[in-house]
Amino acid sequence: MSRPKSRSSENDCGPMQTNPMNSRSPLRTAALTLALGLTASAGLSRIASANPAIVVDAATGNVVYAEQATHPWFPASLTKLMTFYVALEAVRDHRINLDTPIVMSARAARAVPSKMGFKPGTEVTLDNALKMMVVKSANDLAIAVAEAVDGSVEAFADDMNATAARLGMRQSHFVNPNGLPNPDHYSSAHDLAILARAIHVDFPKEAGWFGLGALSLGEEIIRNHNDLLGRYPGVDGMKTGFTCAAGFNLIATAKRDGHRYIAVVMGAPNTRSRMIRTAVLLDRAFDGIDHPETTLKALDVVGSGTPPDMHSEVCRRRGKALVAYRAQTARLEAPLLATKTSAGAASPFLNAGAGTELAPVAPTIASVHRQVFEPTPVFVGPAAGYQGPIAEARPANSPVGTPFPPGTKTAAEEPKPDTVATSEPAKTHHHRRHRHAAHRKAVHHHARRKTAHRGKEKAIIVENKAASHAGKAEHEKRKVAVHAEKHKVAGKHHTVARHHAAKKKHAVKHAKKAKAKHVAGRPMQLEGGKIQSTRSPAHEHQ
């Protein structure tokens, strides 16, 4: 199925460059760290202190590193972890199935990028929708999932908040399923670490979907925004997030020899600095530099109030924020560089998780190319042979398949303010199933026709290319023939010229011989030192 190309806000930072700190010696790095730290403390203390982070042992919930972890922050697309968790809870409670088709509503289709761009009425199975939501960070599918599970976005938001309270997320409040900006929509690094751990504990199989490097939808390849996948050894998820108000957020999980850490980084000024900071924190955890001092449940709540708006530091004047953020990262990285230097430049360090030796990754991670992943196929439309109900927008908290009240628009239709409700009787579930079956049949028919049309277009393109190549070959053949003919004519002219030159040379030689013979037959005498002919002048004039 064709769809408009979407733009993702995770790719706005330009080409990746090599980290300039990698070429410096440890002493120069320490000097740079001190200089940057003085600069930050002189005029950038607010920026330098406004970057929450936390690292948690996924198995025990022990906190090995925390920096302003309970301060409120805009989660951006990290919200989709809660959407993912609530949807899987609904599957576990048999309110919906992973193979249930969900319908793209007009409200979902109006969502801003990043999005899949499906048209209203498009059907996608819940499992495919969740995979596309976490890999592409699709805002439109997040709304469609919310409507499919609870009937409306508002009812789903209530479900999200109830789940957050049950999990112990004390600094979180949700108003939408995709994390688009709203002053009443916030969370914290501490709460998001709780959520990430709950996904791995309660839904370990589905948690692997966050580690999918790429998806294939027909001929389109959808790549994951998580830059650590394929770059940092052991990283197997999870999710990125970005808005101007939130900055660049990231939750990453890394596992080595059965030991997994969860790192949450929020408010980075760009994707590169976010990736390096997360790699530094994971290096410190696996190296044993940071040790558990408390647990997620026991961590004291320090921050409160309104989340800071990072718009000016991230989307307007990013330079000062980058300087301060790099100073923070350099201070965190200094123990890693010291450990590496004391043991030798090429000496590995010991993994605190299970004894696996591995050198620090953060100093060189920016120069590592992104891995090309084998894409996991997804598709649009219901699964083959599916005969169950369709999940779409409906009255809040009603079961899947509940019909719309009489006279209301369906989820796929755009409501109009001046539309007057009709007295058409409510359609039964039997009628609705037949209508959806007819709709699916029509969609499949148009898809087959579009595929056939594309095949014809490709055949025409190939035929035109072949004709163009044949024409070029014929033109080259004619050029070769003309060149050969010119060479042949030039050869003939050269032969004639050589013949004429030979004849002229022969004639000159013959004339010289005749003159020499004639002179030799006349008597000569020497007079006054000159040779004089004995013939009379009269004879010479005869």
Side-chain angles (χ1 to χ4, degrees), residues 304-322:
S304 62
T306 304
D309 188 345
M310 302 293 291
H311 192 280
S312 60
E313 288 86 358
V314 173
C315 292
R316 289 182 181 173
R317 296 176 294 276
R318 189 181 296 179
K320 292 183 178 180
L322 275 171

Side-chain angles (χ1 to χ4, degrees), residues 23-91:
S23 59
R24 292 186 171 93
S25 66
L27 292 178
R28 293 189 65 189
T29 301
L32 176 64
T33 301
L34 179 60
L36 291 176
L38 293 175
T39 303
S41 61
L44 301 171
S45 58
R46 186 181 67 84
I47 299 174
S49 63
N51 300 110
I54 191 170
V55 180
V56 178
D57 188 322
T60 62
N62 293 333
V63 177
V64 297
Y65 176 87
E67 178 69 27
Q68 301 182 9
T70 59
H71 286 225
W73 207 266
F74 295 119
S77 286
L78 301 187
T79 302
K80 296 182 176 77
L81 270 73
M82 179 59 80
T83 303
F84 187 86
Y85 187 88
V86 173
L88 291 181
E89 276 198 324
V91 173

Side-chain angles (χ1 to χ4, degrees), residues 57-360:
D57 188 322
T60 62
N62 293 333
V63 177
V64 297
Y65 176 87
E67 178 69 27
Q68 301 182 9
T70 59
H71 286 225
W73 207 266
F74 295 119
S77 286
L78 301 187
T79 302
K80 296 182 176 77
L81 270 73
M82 179 59 80
T83 303
F84 187 86
Y85 187 88
V86 173
L88 291 181
E89 276 198 324
V91 173
R92 186 180 60 188
D93 296 341
H94 305 291
R95 294 160 50 199
I96 193 171
N97 298 320
L98 286 175
D99 60 349
T100 300
I102 67 174
V103 180
M104 182 68 63
S105 68
R107 179 177 183 178
R110 290 195 302 268
V112 298
S114 175
K115 61 191 294 185
M116 293 302 297
F118 296 137
K119 295 181 179 180
T122 304
E123 295 181 8
V124 186
T125 61
L126 179 60
D127 62 339
N128 282 325
L130 291 175
K131 290 174 184 176
M132 286 185 270
M133 183 186 72
V134 299
V135 173
K136 176 68 175 179
S137 194
N139 294 323
D140 50 355
L141 282 178
I143 294 176
V145 168
E147 293 174 336
V149 172
D150 283 325
S152 70
V153 169
E154 292 72 21
F156 191 82
D158 293 339
D159 207 354
M160 296 169 74
N161 289 320
T163 302
R166 190 177 71 253
L167 293 176
M169 299 170 62
R170 296 166 288 176
Q171 296 90 40
S172 297
H173 185 263
F174 302 99
V175 297
N176 61 58
N178 47 32
L180 290 177
N182 190 301
D184 294 328
H185 189 100
Y186 52 86
S187 187
S188 68
H190 165 265
D191 284 6
L192 292 171
I194 291 176
L195 178 58
R197 182 170 179 265
I199 291 175
H200 277 277
V201 171
D202 297 339
F203 305 105
K205 178 181 177 182
E206 290 78 7
W209 295 354
F210 289 94
L212 296 176
L215 302 175
S216 62
L217 180 60
E219 297 181 355
E220 181 182 6
I221 302 299
I222 305 168
R223 292 178 174 82
N224 199 313
H225 297 306
N226 188 351
D227 292 334
L228 288 174
L229 285 173
R231 275 193 172 121
Y232 190 96
V235 165
D236 53 6
M238 293 189 95
K239 186 76 185 67
T240 63
F242 166 75
T243 62
C244 286
F248 291 86
N249 302 336
L250 174 63
I251 299 176
T253 58
K255 183 178 180 180
R256 295 179 187 171
D257 297 327
H259 197 89
R260 175 181 280 114
Y261 284 108
I262 301 171
V264 182
V265 170
M266 309 189 76
N270 60 20
T271 57
R272 175 188 172 90
S273 59
R274 177 183 68 184
M275 175 183 66
I276 296 174
R277 172 68 65 85
T278 309
V280 167
L281 293 178
L282 288 174
D283 277 348
R284 290 171 63 97
F286 283 112
D287 189 26
I289 294 175
D290 297 320
H291 303 282
E293 295 182 358
T294 185
T295 64
L296 282 171
K297 291 184 178 180
L299 187 65
D300 293 333
V301 177
V302 178
S304 62
T306 304
D309 188 345
M310 302 293 291
H311 192 280
S312 60
E313 288 86 358
V314 173
C315 292
R316 289 182 181 173
R317 296 176 294 276
R318 189 181 296 179
K320 292 183 178 180
L322 275 171
V323 171
Y325 200 84
R326 287 169 181 169
Q328 289 180 332
T329 303
R331 287 195 295 270
L332 291 170
E333 193 178 17
L336 295 172
L337 299 177
T339 302
K340 181 179 178 181
T341 304
S342 62
S347 182
F349 67 78
L350 192 63
N351 179 349
T356 299
E357 293 184 349
L358 189 67

